[in-house]
């Protein structure tokens, strides 16, 4: 029998650089409540959100991705031609096909990198980091670019008081590549399809077209069960990611959960008994919930505000529609 050769890659992987792009339009709560029966006070109290960013027509998924990716490449000192694979986590690239990843790879000037989109909603970035880490260590890629990007304002019903104040736009990127020491811990990931309907597009595109007055199939969410699930179940997943990486809560420098709701972040931190020395990402206050983009955007703000630095050990945990989730401990670049 003919034996097939197998290959292996770097012994370890790490994130080499992180980039971010925040859209130019700042939307305060006062603007959101023009269309819903709500108040600035209620929104801040229930979600921690003060303002969010919504993209202009020019700030497309492609544009924001390329900007965030260029920054990540520059910060990592990696040339676009060294990128062997581009993974784009998004739910708001409006084409069923082709994937936006191939266009991003082309516009960045990669040397015909493999490129594909993944759909894991708010958990997409951590899924991408895990795939990238495995690729680098298996030898199927030298450097991988992971992008989380959303224009959720396209999918948000501004008249829906359950979602209008939450969702936002932006892009974040990470360059993952070889490392002398472990920089990305084992992923703890999974799904709960029994709760498939809790966050979803309102209807199938075919039903949209068949309607007499077609409307965008906006995102709909059962906020309360999502809140309970995220607050209680996700803390256990975070703890498992710490255990799998052999890191104790007191060894952590930063906690960077998906920026879904400030109260969910606080509930998780309490459940995991994170000591006060652990810096907690709170980008949601200024940025809203940007789904797949939220974790790299949140890390970017922690650098900017002096709360995170190169070499810090951070727990990332992302969760959302599906329901899908993924968590890992990483060393920040
Ligand atoms: C959306 C969310 C903030 C709503 O908060 P909540 O405390 O669950 O709110 P409820 O739906 O239970 O409603 C509580 C009250 O506020 C009211 N309310 C709901 N939306 C409101 C709004 N935008 N403004 C003012 N009041 C509102 C309700 O009518 C209800 O009033 P009542 O007590 O008089 O009946 C919260 O459920 C949440 O954040 N869920 C998770 C969302 C999330 O993270 N999604 C992304 C996951 S990836």
């Amino acid at each position: 029998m003919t034996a097939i050769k197998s290959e292996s890659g770097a012994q370890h992987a790490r994130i080499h650089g992180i980039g971010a792009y925040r859209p130019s339009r700042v939307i305060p709560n006062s603007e959101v409540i023009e269309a819903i029966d709500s108040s600035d006070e209620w929104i801040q109290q229930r979600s921690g959100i003060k303002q969010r960013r919504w993209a202009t027509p020019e700030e497309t998924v492609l544009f924001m991705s390329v900007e965030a990716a260029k920054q990540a490449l520059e910060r990592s000192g990696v040339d676009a031609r060294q990128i062997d694979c581009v993974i784009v986590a998004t739910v708001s690239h409006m084409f069923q096909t082709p994937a936006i990843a191939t266009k991003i790879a082309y516009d960045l000037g990669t040397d015909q990198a493999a490129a594909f989109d993944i759909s894991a909603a708010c958990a997409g970035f951590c899924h991408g980091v895990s795939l990238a880490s495995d690729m680098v260590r298996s030898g199927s890629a030298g450097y991988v670019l992971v992008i989380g990007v959303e224009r959720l304002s396209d999918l948000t019903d501004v008249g829906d008081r359950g979602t209008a104040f939450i969702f936002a736009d932006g892009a974040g990127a990470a360059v993952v590549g070889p490392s002398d020491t472990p920089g990305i811990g084992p992923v703890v990931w999974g799904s709960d399809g029994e709760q498939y309907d809790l966050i979803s597009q309102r209807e199938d595109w075919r039903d949209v077209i068949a309607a007499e007055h077609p409307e965008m199939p906006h995102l709909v969410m059962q906020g309360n069960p999502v809140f309970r699930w995220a607050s209680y179940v996700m803390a256990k997943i975070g703890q498992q990611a710490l255990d799998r990486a052999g890191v104790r809560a007191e060894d952590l420098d930063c906690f960077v959960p998906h920026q879904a709701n400030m109260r969910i972040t606080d509930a998780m931190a309490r459940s995991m008994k994170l000591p006060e020395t652990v810096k907690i990402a709170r980008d949601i206050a200024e940025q809203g919930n940007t789904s797949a983009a939220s974790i790299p955007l949140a890390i970017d703000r922690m650098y900017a505000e002096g709360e995170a630095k190169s070499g810090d050990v951070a727990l990332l945990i992302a969760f959302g529609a599906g329901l899908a989730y993924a968590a890992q401990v990483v060393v920040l670049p």
Side-chain angles (χ1 to χ4, degrees):
M1 201 175 77
T2 308
I4 296 175
K5 261 173 46 183
S6 84
E7 291 180 350
S8 57
Q11 194 180 355
H12 306 294
R14 69 179 171 97
I15 299 176
H16 288 248
I18 284 182
Y21 182 83
R22 298 178 196 271
S24 49
R25 281 174 68 214
V26 176
I27 312 289
N29 287 343
S30 56
E31 190 173 330
V32 171
I33 61 177
E34 285 170 12
I36 53 172
D37 174 15
S38 189
S39 67
D40 175 37
E41 193 193 1
W42 190 94
I43 294 172
Q44 287 205 42
Q45 210 178 56
R46 296 294 176 122
S47 69
I49 301 172
K50 295 182 192 155
Q51 61 181 41
R52 72 284 296 136
R53 301 272 183 134
W54 285 351
T56 61
E58 295 74 34
E59 291 170 320
T60 60
V61 164
L62 174 65
F63 177 83
M64 294 192 290
S65 299
V66 169
E67 290 303 304
K70 278 182 185 164
Q71 193 178 60
L73 287 166
E74 199 184 300
R75 287 178 176 172
S76 58
V78 171
D79 189 276
R81 284 165 301 190
Q82 292 174 268
I83 298 293
D84 293 324
C85 181
V86 177
I87 300 173
V88 179
T90 187
V91 296
S92 43
H93 167 53
M94 292 299 181
F95 281 69
Q96 201 77 41
T97 194
I100 193 67
T102 61
K103 181 80 173 113
I104 294 169
Y106 178 77
D107 284 5
L108 286 171
T110 68
D111 186 14
Q112 304 202 334
F116 54 90
D117 295 357
I118 56 172
S119 177
C122 305
F125 182 76
C126 288
H127 278 71
V129 167
S130 171
L131 292 176
S133 169
D134 290 351
M135 284 179 187
V136 168
R137 290 180 303 122
S138 72
S140 54
Y143 289 91
V144 181
L145 181 63
V146 180
I147 297 171
V149 57
E150 303 290 2
R151 267 180 67 104
L152 292 181
S153 58
D154 288 338
L155 287 167
T156 301
D157 177 356
V158 293
D160 174 12
R161 73 205 290 248
T163 56
F165 62 94
I166 291 181
F167 296 128
D169 306 337
V175 174
V176 175
S179 175
D180 295 334
T181 51
I184 300 175
V187 69
V188 177
W189 55 1
S191 66
D192 180 3
E194 196 180 347
Q195 309 203 68
Y196 183 77
D197 295 325
L198 288 191
I199 313 170
S200 116
Q201 176 178 315
R202 200 187 56 235
E203 58 192 347
D204 186 312
W205 286 105
R206 288 165 299 188
D207 297 331
V208 172
I209 309 163
E212 196 178 341
H213 302 292
E215 274 183 28
M216 180 68 94
H218 292 122
L219 294 173
V220 287
M221 175 175 72
Q222 297 176 44
N224 230 287
V226 174
F227 188 93
R228 284 197 303 272
W229 172 78
S231 302
Y232 302 110
V233 182
M234 286 305 99
K236 292 184 191 136
I237 300 302
Q239 187 58 54
Q240 284 173 30
L242 287 177
D243 295 343
R244 294 275 304 278
V247 170
R248 297 167 307 167
E250 50 269 39
D251 302 326
L252 269 183
D253 298 299
C254 306
F255 175 47
V256 193
H258 164 50
Q259 302 291 288
N261 180 317
M262 197 81 86
R263 286 162 57 219
I264 294 175
T265 296
D266 289 335
M268 286 195 293
R270 269 196 309 275
S271 292
M272 283 190 286
K273 298 190 172 56
L274 297 185
E276 280 183 7
T277 49
V278 178
K279 301 281 191 309
I280 299 179
R282 298 193 180 279
D283 190 42
I284 189 167
E286 316 292 329
Q287 186 71 34
N289 175 342
T290 56
S291 190
S294 89
I295 287 183
L297 281 170
I299 295 172
D300 179 70
R301 184 180 299 280
M302 293 181 89
Y303 285 136
E305 296 187 349
E307 293 197 307
K309 59 181 187 321
S310 178
D312 277 359
V313 176
L315 171 63
L316 314 183
I317 176 162
F319 47 87
L323 299 170
Y325 57 86
Q328 65 264 102
V329 174
V330 302
V331 177
L332 292 180

mmCIF file with all atom_site columns, all heavy atoms in Angstrom, residues 314-326:
data_model
loop_
_atom_site.group_PDB
_atom_site.id
_atom_site.type_symbol
_atom_site.label_atom_id
_atom_site.label_alt_id
_atom_site.label_comp_id
_atom_site.label_asym_id
_atom_site.label_entity_id
_atom_site.label_seq_id
_atom_site.pdbx_PDB_ins_code
_atom_site.Cartn_x
_atom_site.Cartn_y
_atom_site.Cartn_z
_atom_site.occupancy
_atom_site.B_iso_or_equiv
_atom_site.pdbx_formal_charge
_atom_site.auth_seq_id
_atom_site.auth_comp_id
_atom_site.auth_asym_id
_atom_site.auth_atom_id
_atom_site.pdbx_PDB_model_num
ATOM 1  N N   . ALA A 1 314 ? -4.256  36.106 29.090 1.00 0.00 ? 314 ALA A N   1
ATOM 2  C CA  . ALA A 1 314 ? -5.660  36.526 29.019 1.00 0.00 ? 314 ALA A CA  1
ATOM 3  C C   . ALA A 1 314 ? -6.573  35.338 28.754 1.00 0.00 ? 314 ALA A C   1
ATOM 4  O O   . ALA A 1 314 ? -6.244  34.450 27.958 1.00 0.00 ? 314 ALA A O   1
ATOM 5  C CB  . ALA A 1 314 ? -5.832  37.564 27.911 1.00 0.00 ? 314 ALA A CB  1
ATOM 6  N N   . LEU A 1 315 ? -7.721  35.345 29.427 1.00 0.00 ? 315 LEU A N   1
ATOM 7  C CA  . LEU A 1 315 ? -8.763  34.349 29.130 1.00 0.00 ? 315 LEU A CA  1
ATOM 8  C C   . LEU A 1 315 ? -9.746  34.981 28.163 1.00 0.00 ? 315 LEU A C   1
ATOM 9  O O   . LEU A 1 315 ? -10.337 36.031 28.451 1.00 0.00 ? 315 LEU A O   1
ATOM 10 C CB  . LEU A 1 315 ? -9.493  33.941 30.423 1.00 0.00 ? 315 LEU A CB  1
ATOM 11 C CG  . LEU A 1 315 ? -10.749 33.082 30.227 1.00 0.00 ? 315 LEU A CG  1
ATOM 12 C CD1 . LEU A 1 315 ? -10.423 31.727 29.582 1.00 0.00 ? 315 LEU A CD1 1
ATOM 13 C CD2 . LEU A 1 315 ? -11.473 32.862 31.565 1.00 0.00 ? 315 LEU A CD2 1
ATOM 14 N N   . LEU A 1 316 ? -9.907  34.341 26.985 1.00 0.00 ? 316 LEU A N   1
ATOM 15 C CA  . LEU A 1 316 ? -10.892 34.794 26.004 1.00 0.00 ? 316 LEU A CA  1
ATOM 16 C C   . LEU A 1 316 ? -12.074 33.831 26.060 1.00 0.00 ? 316 LEU A C   1
ATOM 17 O O   . LEU A 1 316 ? -11.882 32.612 26.141 1.00 0.00 ? 316 LEU A O   1
ATOM 18 C CB  . LEU A 1 316 ? -10.314 34.766 24.577 1.00 0.00 ? 316 LEU A CB  1
ATOM 19 C CG  . LEU A 1 316 ? -8.911  35.356 24.340 1.00 0.00 ? 316 LEU A CG  1
ATOM 20 C CD1 . LEU A 1 316 ? -8.576  35.295 22.850 1.00 0.00 ? 316 LEU A CD1 1
ATOM 21 C CD2 . LEU A 1 316 ? -8.815  36.779 24.865 1.00 0.00 ? 316 LEU A CD2 1
ATOM 22 N N   . ILE A 1 317 ? -13.278 34.371 26.010 1.00 0.00 ? 317 ILE A N   1
ATOM 23 C CA  . ILE A 1 317 ? -14.447 33.485 25.947 1.00 0.00 ? 317 ILE A CA  1
ATOM 24 C C   . ILE A 1 317 ? -15.520 34.163 25.105 1.00 0.00 ? 317 ILE A C   1
ATOM 25 O O   . ILE A 1 317 ? -15.866 35.317 25.339 1.00 0.00 ? 317 ILE A O   1
ATOM 26 C CB  . ILE A 1 317 ? -14.959 33.089 27.353 1.00 0.00 ? 317 ILE A CB  1
ATOM 27 C CG1 . ILE A 1 317 ? -16.225 32.253 27.225 1.00 0.00 ? 317 ILE A CG1 1
ATOM 28 C CG2 . ILE A 1 317 ? -15.177 34.272 28.276 1.00 0.00 ? 317 ILE A CG2 1
ATOM 29 C CD1 . ILE A 1 317 ? -16.566 31.458 28.459 1.00 0.00 ? 317 ILE A CD1 1
ATOM 30 N N   . ALA A 1 318 ? -15.981 33.422 24.104 1.00 0.00 ? 318 ALA A N   1
ATOM 31 C CA  . ALA A 1 318 ? -16.961 33.994 23.176 1.00 0.00 ? 318 ALA A CA  1
ATOM 32 C C   . ALA A 1 318 ? -18.158 33.066 23.061 1.00 0.00 ? 318 ALA A C   1
ATOM 33 O O   . ALA A 1 318 ? -18.019 31.842 23.090 1.00 0.00 ? 318 ALA A O   1
ATOM 34 C CB  . ALA A 1 318 ? -16.308 34.189 21.820 1.00 0.00 ? 318 ALA A CB  1
ATOM 35 N N   . PHE A 1 319 ? -19.341 33.660 22.923 1.00 0.00 ? 319 PHE A N   1
ATOM 36 C CA  . PHE A 1 319 ? -20.582 32.864 22.916 1.00 0.00 ? 319 PHE A CA  1
ATOM 37 C C   . PHE A 1 319 ? -21.662 33.630 22.181 1.00 0.00 ? 319 PHE A C   1
ATOM 38 O O   . PHE A 1 319 ? -21.660 34.866 22.163 1.00 0.00 ? 319 PHE A O   1
ATOM 39 C CB  . PHE A 1 319 ? -21.023 32.598 24.365 1.00 0.00 ? 319 PHE A CB  1
ATOM 40 C CG  . PHE A 1 319 ? -20.984 33.846 25.219 1.00 0.00 ? 319 PHE A CG  1
ATOM 41 C CD1 . PHE A 1 319 ? -22.063 34.704 25.280 1.00 0.00 ? 319 PHE A CD1 1
ATOM 42 C CD2 . PHE A 1 319 ? -19.834 34.187 25.933 1.00 0.00 ? 319 PHE A CD2 1
ATOM 43 C CE1 . PHE A 1 319 ? -22.002 35.879 26.039 1.00 0.00 ? 319 PHE A CE1 1
ATOM 44 C CE2 . PHE A 1 319 ? -19.764 35.368 26.693 1.00 0.00 ? 319 PHE A CE2 1
ATOM 45 C CZ  . PHE A 1 319 ? -20.865 36.207 26.746 1.00 0.00 ? 319 PHE A CZ  1
ATOM 46 N N   . GLY A 1 320 ? -22.568 32.895 21.572 1.00 0.00 ? 320 GLY A N   1
ATOM 47 C CA  . GLY A 1 320 ? -23.642 33.592 20.872 1.00 0.00 ? 320 GLY A CA  1
ATOM 48 C C   . GLY A 1 320 ? -24.551 32.652 20.111 1.00 0.00 ? 320 GLY A C   1
ATOM 49 O O   . GLY A 1 320 ? -24.698 31.474 20.470 1.00 0.00 ? 320 GLY A O   1
ATOM 50 N N   . ALA A 1 321 ? -25.173 33.174 19.049 1.00 0.00 ? 321 ALA A N   1
ATOM 51 C CA  . ALA A 1 321 ? -26.208 32.452 18.311 1.00 0.00 ? 321 ALA A CA  1
ATOM 52 C C   . ALA A 1 321 ? -25.746 31.052 17.946 1.00 0.00 ? 321 ALA A C   1
ATOM 53 O O   . ALA A 1 321 ? -24.590 30.819 17.623 1.00 0.00 ? 321 ALA A O   1
ATOM 54 C CB  . ALA A 1 321 ? -26.586 33.236 17.067 1.00 0.00 ? 321 ALA A CB  1
ATOM 55 N N   . GLY A 1 322 ? -26.693 30.137 18.000 1.00 0.00 ? 322 GLY A N   1
ATOM 56 C CA  . GLY A 1 322 ? -26.393 28.738 17.661 1.00 0.00 ? 322 GLY A CA  1
ATOM 57 C C   . GLY A 1 322 ? -27.058 27.705 18.567 1.00 0.00 ? 322 GLY A C   1
ATOM 58 O O   . GLY A 1 322 ? -27.727 26.845 18.095 1.00 0.00 ? 322 GLY A O   1
ATOM 59 N N   . LEU A 1 323 ? -26.878 27.780 19.824 1.00 0.00 ? 323 LEU A N   1
ATOM 60 C CA  . LEU A 1 323 ? -25.864 28.557 20.517 1.00 0.00 ? 323 LEU A CA  1
ATOM 61 C C   . LEU A 1 323 ? -24.480 27.942 20.301 1.00 0.00 ? 323 LEU A C   1
ATOM 62 O O   . LEU A 1 323 ? -24.376 26.705 20.242 1.00 0.00 ? 323 LEU A O   1
ATOM 63 C CB  . LEU A 1 323 ? -26.173 28.614 22.030 1.00 0.00 ? 323 LEU A CB  1
ATOM 64 C CG  . LEU A 1 323 ? -27.530 29.270 22.383 1.00 0.00 ? 323 LEU A CG  1
ATOM 65 C CD1 . LEU A 1 323 ? -27.879 29.070 23.839 1.00 0.00 ? 323 LEU A CD1 1
ATOM 66 C CD2 . LEU A 1 323 ? -27.533 30.763 22.045 1.00 0.00 ? 323 LEU A CD2 1
ATOM 67 N N   . ALA A 1 324 ? -23.467 28.782 20.192 1.00 0.00 ? 324 ALA A N   1
ATOM 68 C CA  . ALA A 1 324 ? -22.106 28.292 19.986 1.00 0.00 ? 324 ALA A CA  1
ATOM 69 C C   . ALA A 1 324 ? -21.179 29.035 20.932 1.00 0.00 ? 324 ALA A C   1
ATOM 70 O O   . ALA A 1 324 ? -21.427 30.194 21.249 1.00 0.00 ? 324 ALA A O   1
ATOM 71 C CB  . ALA A 1 324 ? -21.673 28.547 18.548 1.00 0.00 ? 324 ALA A CB  1
ATOM 72 N N   . TYR A 1 325 ? -20.132 28.356 21.371 1.00 0.00 ? 325 TYR A N   1
ATOM 73 C CA  . TYR A 1 325 ? -19.182 29.009 22.282 1.00 0.00 ? 325 TYR A CA  1
ATOM 74 C C   . TYR A 1 325 ? -17.766 28.447 22.105 1.00 0.00 ? 325 TYR A C   1
ATOM 75 O O   . TYR A 1 325 ? -17.598 27.312 21.620 1.00 0.00 ? 325 TYR A O   1
ATOM 76 C CB  . TYR A 1 325 ? -19.628 28.867 23.747 1.00 0.00 ? 325 TYR A CB  1
ATOM 77 C CG  . TYR A 1 325 ? -19.805 27.434 24.196 1.00 0.00 ? 325 TYR A CG  1
ATOM 78 C CD1 . TYR A 1 325 ? -18.733 26.679 24.681 1.00 0.00 ? 325 TYR A CD1 1
ATOM 79 C CD2 . TYR A 1 325 ? -21.051 26.821 24.130 1.00 0.00 ? 325 TYR A CD2 1
ATOM 80 C CE1 . TYR A 1 325 ? -18.896 25.363 25.085 1.00 0.00 ? 325 TYR A CE1 1
ATOM 81 C CE2 . TYR A 1 325 ? -21.225 25.496 24.529 1.00 0.00 ? 325 TYR A CE2 1
ATOM 82 C CZ  . TYR A 1 325 ? -20.142 24.777 25.005 1.00 0.00 ? 325 TYR A CZ  1
ATOM 83 O OH  . TYR A 1 325 ? -20.322 23.470 25.387 1.00 0.00 ? 325 TYR A OH  1
ATOM 84 N N   . ALA A 1 326 ? -16.783 29.237 22.489 1.00 0.00 ? 326 ALA A N   1
ATOM 85 C CA  . ALA A 1 326 ? -15.378 28.803 22.463 1.00 0.00 ? 326 ALA A CA  1
ATOM 86 C C   . ALA A 1 326 ? -14.595 29.670 23.424 1.00 0.00 ? 326 ALA A C   1
ATOM 87 O O   . ALA A 1 326 ? -14.850 30.877 23.532 1.00 0.00 ? 326 ALA A O   1
ATOM 88 C CB  . ALA A 1 326 ? -14.799 28.928 21.050 1.00 0.00 ? 326 ALA A CB  1
#
